[in-house]
């Protein structure tokens, strides 16, 4: 426990919950796009038609019909899995915790992108992982660097977020995904592919998950309904090769017996009674507009020394400031001007990273994005 740090984001979120603050800090979806009425109708239907089953304990693997739905969905994305390979979890965050329990002893090495998802760092640090960064560029991690890293560090797994990565927004190129799967097969490398944002693409062609190329069964693939339906449901899943699946299942049982029977049934009823593609299209359109507004305002207002990524989907972009920028100090001043973001430092498992900012664009209207970026840019221009 002594090695664990509290999450800066969670601390900041307490402040940024005040309505007068324009917050680019949290990873929150747009609440106005939550399908509240449709979920209420689904909940009514579940309680009316199968209330006793929905309020009863259920199987640890998950509600069978929902597992079927997820397997079909994954088949559409080019991943050949059956419902028997789908474990429903309490958000995809639980997958990270269970995978850490399954694979890690104290001091074991995990390969990650650098920076990477803050709460994955926390999940793996809880089991005293050592982090070794994989070199990356604007097409994601560079698979050619892996054989040497594997030889030197004997990692227990590689953790990667191939689509619209959190925090950078960068997407792993298709040719790198197939190469990654091949290298994993040749070097017996386990991959944890974390894909919460894959369906939030507002520009460019879809790319299949790494799991699509995983003939050797080296990839555990995790995703979630948090960004496509609502995070409050806490519904995610993992598909894993047989042996890992059965171990994850035991760990899940020890941890919480099973994911909420009620929530799973409500989600399944909601998904099958509504036009999910149309709902996703609304989210994608809104996020695409919000990204465009953030990008255009940054372009018009930020000093020349600042650069940022141009993600084709997801909820974040990543700003690189001048080397001497102190993101945490900037945040303190930004909060005085009622705008917030997450300083990049916490996304780096090792040293460095203080001159970066993560900006979320899904959770503010275009008007507030324009105003918030103006405030932030004014502050950046005033820096010595
Ligand atoms: C990369 C990544 N993985 C996992 C999660 C966890 O999502 P959930 O537990 O809501 O499925 C998030 C949430 O922001 C994320 O960004």
């Amino acid at each position: 426990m002594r090695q664990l740090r509290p999450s800066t984001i969670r601390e900041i979120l307490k402040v940024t919950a005040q309505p007068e603050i324009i917050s680019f800090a949290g990873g929150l979806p747009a609440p106005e796009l939550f399908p509240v009425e449709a979920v209420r109708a689904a909940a009514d239907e579940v309680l009316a038609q199968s209330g006793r089953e929905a309020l009863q304990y259920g199987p640890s693997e998950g509600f069978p019909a929902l597992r079927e739905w997820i397997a079909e969905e994954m088949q559409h994305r080019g991943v050949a899995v059956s419902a028997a390979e789908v474990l429903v979890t309490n958000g995809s965050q639980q997958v990270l915790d269970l995978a850490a329990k399954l694979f890690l002893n104290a001091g074991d090495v995990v390969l990650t992108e650098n920076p990477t998802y803050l709460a994955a760092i926390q999940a793996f640090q809880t089991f005293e992982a050592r982090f070794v960064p994989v070199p990356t560029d604007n097409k994601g991690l560079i698979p050619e660097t892996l054989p040497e890293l594997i030889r030197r560090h004997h990692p227990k797994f590689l953790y990667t977020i191939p689509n619209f990565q959190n925090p950078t927004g960068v997407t792993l190129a298709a040719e790198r995904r197939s190469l990654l799967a091949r290298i994993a097969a040749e070097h017996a490398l386990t991959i944890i592919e974390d894909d919460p944002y894959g369906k939030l693409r507002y520009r460019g062609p879809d790319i299949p998950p790494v799991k699509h190329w995983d003939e050797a069964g080296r990839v555990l693939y995790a995703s979630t309904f948090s960004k496509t339906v609502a995070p409050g449901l806490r519904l995610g899943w993992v598909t894993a090769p047989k042996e890992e699946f059965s171990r994850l299942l035991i760990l899940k049982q020890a941890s919480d017996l099973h994911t909420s029977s009620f929530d799973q049934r409500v989600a399944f009823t909601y998904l099958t009674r509504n036009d999910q593609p149309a709902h996703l299209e609304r989210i994608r359109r809104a996020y695409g507009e919000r990204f465009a507004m953030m990008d255009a305002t940054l372009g018009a207002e930020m000093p020349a020394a600042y650069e940022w990524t141009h993600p084709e989907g997801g909820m974040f972009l990543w700003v690189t400031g001048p080397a001497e920028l102190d993101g945490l100090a900037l945040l303190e001043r930004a909060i005085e001007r009622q705008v917030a973001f997450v300083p990049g430092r916490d996304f780096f498992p090792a040293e460095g990273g203080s001159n970066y900012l993560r900006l979320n664009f899904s959770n503010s209207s275009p008007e507030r994005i324009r105003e918030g970026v103006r405030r932030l840019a004014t502050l950046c221009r005033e820096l010595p």
Side-chain angles (χ1 to χ4, degrees):
M1 287 307 296
R2 276 187 215 109
Q3 296 178 21
L4 300 180
R5 295 178 293 185
S7 154
T8 314
I9 302 190
R10 298 245 144 240
E11 296 304 312
I12 296 167
L13 275 173
K14 290 179 197 159
V15 181
T16 59
Q18 299 160 13
E20 58 285 1
I21 293 206
I22 298 180
S23 177
F24 305 136
L28 306 184
E32 63 277 18
L33 295 171
F34 291 156
V36 177
E37 282 310 311
V39 170
R40 185 167 65 158
D44 283 347
E45 184 179 332
V46 166
L47 288 171
Q49 293 188 1
S50 52
R52 294 190 189 282
E53 294 88 340
L55 297 178
Q56 188 54 282
Y57 285 113
S60 300
E61 291 87 341
F63 177 46
L66 183 64
R67 296 171 74 203
E68 284 287 350
W69 191 96
I70 292 168
E72 263 178 47
E73 166 72 22
M74 294 206 47
Q75 287 155 19
H76 284 145
R77 298 197 58 207
V79 180
V81 290
S82 68
E85 294 162 272
V86 175
L87 175 63
V88 181
T89 54
N90 249 301
S92 47
Q93 188 65 32
Q94 188 178 37
V95 178
L96 306 182
D97 176 58
L98 298 180
K101 278 185 185 147
L102 170 55
F103 290 110
L104 297 178
N105 292 318
D108 280 346
V109 167
V110 173
L111 299 177
T112 62
E113 287 131 6
N114 193 37
T116 188
Y117 171 49
L118 175 60
I121 299 176
Q122 284 185 316
F124 305 153
Q125 255 169 1
T126 308
F127 294 87
E128 298 180 52
R130 275 198 304 127
F131 293 87
V132 172
V134 181
T136 54
D137 61 19
N138 61 0
K139 291 179 173 180
L141 62 83
I142 302 170
E144 288 84 350
T145 63
L146 287 169
E148 176 58 17
L149 291 175
I150 294 167
R151 197 185 59 72
R152 285 225 316 262
H153 299 286
H154 306 289
K156 283 296 176 72
F157 58 81
L158 162 72
Y159 170 73
T160 181
I161 308 160
N163 290 311
F164 327 122
Q165 199 240 19
N166 183 359
T168 62
V170 165
T171 290
L172 183 64
E175 65 277 10
R176 292 195 182 177
R177 297 183 188 208
S178 54
L179 180 57
L180 178 56
R182 204 165 71 228
I183 289 172
E186 283 169 11
H187 296 267
L189 172 70
T190 296
I191 295 176
I192 298 178
E193 178 177 25
D194 188 10
D195 186 23
Y197 304 107
K199 298 190 79 178
L200 303 186
R201 176 180 278 282
Y202 44 72
R203 276 193 291 147
D206 267 329
I207 308 174
V210 179
K211 181 87 183 150
H212 166 76
W213 285 278
D214 177 35
E215 284 164 19
R218 304 295 330 176
V219 179
L220 283 72
Y221 173 95
S223 190
T224 178
F225 292 108
S226 288
K227 321 294 173 176
T228 55
V229 184
L233 289 169
R234 308 305 307 126
L235 286 178
W237 70 89
V238 58
T239 73
K242 216 177 179 136
E243 196 177 316
E244 284 84 357
F245 183 97
S246 56
R247 297 196 170 145
L248 288 169
L249 181 63
I250 296 168
L251 292 169
K252 165 94 180 149
Q253 286 165 346
S255 171
D256 62 3
L257 302 181
H258 65 81
T259 302
S260 158
S261 313
F262 178 67
D263 289 1
Q264 290 184 78
R265 282 173 188 261
V266 171
F268 173 72
T269 302
Y270 161 75
L271 291 164
T272 49
R273 296 278 184 274
N274 293 278
D275 186 348
Q276 185 63 6
H279 173 64
L280 277 173
E281 192 45 42
R282 278 193 292 278
I283 298 178
R284 284 194 285 256
R285 196 167 337 110
Y287 291 4
E289 282 167 9
R290 290 169 191 206
F291 163 73
M293 175 59 90
M294 186 170 267
D295 181 40
T297 317
L298 285 167
E301 308 268 344
M302 282 301 255
Y306 288 75
E307 293 173 357
W308 53 93
T309 54
H310 294 81
E312 298 186 333
M315 313 196 325
F316 308 104
L317 60 78
W318 182 245
V319 179
T320 306
E324 65 279 6
L325 180 73
D326 177 349
L328 202 55
L330 183 70
L331 175 65
E332 280 165 19
R333 297 180 59 185
I335 287 177
E336 288 166 15
R337 311 259 176 117
Q338 304 201 316
V339 59
F341 58 86
V342 185
R345 172 69 198 92
D346 282 4
F347 298 97
F348 291 85
E351 293 308 304
S354 60
N355 61 322
Y356 299 93
L357 326 176
R358 189 193 72 176
L359 302 187
N360 165 277
F361 49 81
S362 58
N363 189 241
S364 308
S365 66
E367 296 70 38
R368 278 173 71 87
I369 288 175
R370 184 168 50 208
E371 175 55 27
V373 172
R374 280 183 179 157
R375 288 182 200 173
L376 187 61
T378 306
L379 202 55
C380 293
R381 285 199 303 269
E382 286 169 12
L383 291 179

